[in-house]
Amino acid sequence: MSSFLHRPRLDADGLVRALRARLPRAEPQRATTAAGVEVIGVSVPRDRVREVWDEWRGRHGETGWWPFVTLLSPDAVARSSQHSGVDAAALEDLMAEVLRQDHDARAASVVVSSFRWSAGEASGAEREEWCDDYDPERLAPRLGPELAEPLPGVSRWGCGDRDVFGGRSQRWLNFVAVRGGHEVPVVLPYVIGTGNWCGYGDRFLTPADDAALLRRWHEQWGAGLFLAQGAYLELVVDRPPLDPPGAAQATTELMGYCRDAVQAPCSTGDGMVRSSLWSLWWD
């Protein structure tokens, strides 16, 4: 295994034993991607998956395995990763890039690229409107006052009542050996489906971009990857911004990464951004 890849504290067999001990009715399944990444998962009822995810996210420091919710079994994740074209050598190079990059600068470049593409040929009043939405200093005065505590987060797809996945009662809780949730899109390239994102100069999002935004949001607001299912992504946020400047900053970054989820910046800045769960999607 490359020195760039994370070595978990608990080996794969140890994780399987721990899962069997805590979830005796859910037999763990295992699969390995073409790049050599092992995926271990258990099937969990939708109404329990957040509770189980919380437990194992809390044990990440002990195990070294990050849990994420999806509809795909470990075998399906491994098979889908074959289409990414990332083999073991390419994964080493990609992880090396992610570990060395300035994630704050890369995150900012995604937002700037999104703004330049969105504004396009706009001029005058229309361009000013785009500036109002993408500039945190312009957006903050339009938001509501600071909140005393976070709004309750509502899961749209991971465990909530609104299920766009055909009413399935089960979810897969899959584990991969990574330093944090921001590395999941790196070891499982394109597990997040951002294919319709457009940036200036024909730029498109890469797993390194995903990792940069997710790491920044983790450091700034305690956001952790909860659900990754193609064009759907959910983050559990431990310390969401409650004041207008912080909420404006988060809103503009979310808009730069996922315009579909921030169609009304003021509503998003006063609502989802100040809550404990962020739901993103790329239509």
Side-chain angles (χ1 to χ4, degrees):
M1 179 182 289
S2 164
S3 60
F4 294 120
L5 301 181
H6 177 62
R7 290 181 173 84
R9 291 178 177 271
L10 199 63
D11 64 18
D13 289 339
L15 177 64
V16 168
R17 288 193 296 270
L19 288 169
R20 283 173 174 159
R22 290 294 295 146
L23 301 165
R25 296 183 180 180
E27 178 61 23
Q29 294 190 16
R30 302 168 66 166
T32 304
T33 72
V37 175
E38 184 150 23
V39 184
I40 299 173
V42 288
S43 180
V44 179
R46 189 175 79 198
D47 60 0
R48 285 200 62 211
V49 74
R50 174 60 192 274
E51 163 199 342
V52 178
W53 180 87
D54 279 334
E55 175 185 348
W56 291 94
R57 190 268 298 259
R59 297 181 64 178
H60 173 255
E62 167 194 338
T63 68
W65 295 80
W66 186 270
F68 69 96
V69 179
T70 183
L71 295 183
L72 302 179
S73 68
D75 183 62
V77 169
R79 284 187 280 108
S80 66
S81 72
Q82 295 175 0
H83 303 297
S84 70
V86 176
D87 58 15
L91 178 58
E92 290 187 10
D93 291 342
L94 178 57
M95 185 61 79
E97 175 189 356
V98 167
L99 292 178
R100 292 167 178 161
Q101 71 183 359
D102 182 331
H103 56 278
D104 286 328
R106 185 153 194 155
S109 75
V110 170
V111 177
V112 170
S113 182
S114 175
F115 166 73
R116 295 184 68 185
W117 182 87
S118 298
E121 301 299 323
S123 60
E126 184 180 0
R127 185 173 183 83
E128 286 300 306
E129 289 179 4
W130 283 113
C131 290
D132 287 342
D133 289 346
Y134 272 94
D135 185 340
E137 293 186 359
R138 294 194 187 194
L139 179 59
R142 298 154 54 199
L143 300 182
E146 182 172 0
L147 300 182
E149 58 185 28
L151 298 172
V154 178
S155 172
R156 290 171 175 261
W157 309 295
C159 55
D161 294 333
R162 178 181 176 183
D163 183 14
V164 298
F165 302 132
R168 300 189 192 184
S169 61
Q170 296 289 117
R171 296 286 185 266
W172 280 95
L173 188 68
N174 288 341
F175 295 77
V176 287
V178 288
R179 296 169 184 85
H182 64 280
E183 289 187 358
V184 172
V186 182
V187 299
L188 300 176
Y190 305 105
V191 68
I192 302 171
T194 60
N196 79 332
W197 185 91
C198 296
Y200 182 76
D202 295 327
R203 177 175 177 172
F204 58 92
L205 290 177
T206 69
D209 293 322
D210 297 325
L213 270 301
L214 294 181
R215 181 176 174 184
R216 171 171 169 75
W217 295 339
H218 172 71
E219 293 178 353
Q220 291 291 314
W221 299 298
L225 179 67
F226 172 58
L227 174 137
Q229 175 60 43
Y232 301 93
L233 171 68
E234 288 190 327
L235 307 173
V236 170
V237 188
D238 294 334
R239 306 181 306 277
L242 303 181
D243 62 309
Q249 183 66 46
T251 299
T252 58
E253 293 181 16
L254 283 165
M255 184 164 56
Y257 182 56
C258 184
R259 190 70 178 86
D260 291 319
V262 189
Q263 298 178 17
C266 288
S267 296
T268 301
D270 284 335
M272 182 185 75
V273 159
R274 304 197 204 195
S275 81
S276 58
L277 195 141
W278 297 351
S279 296
L280 309 182
W281 68 94
W282 291 263
D283 286 338

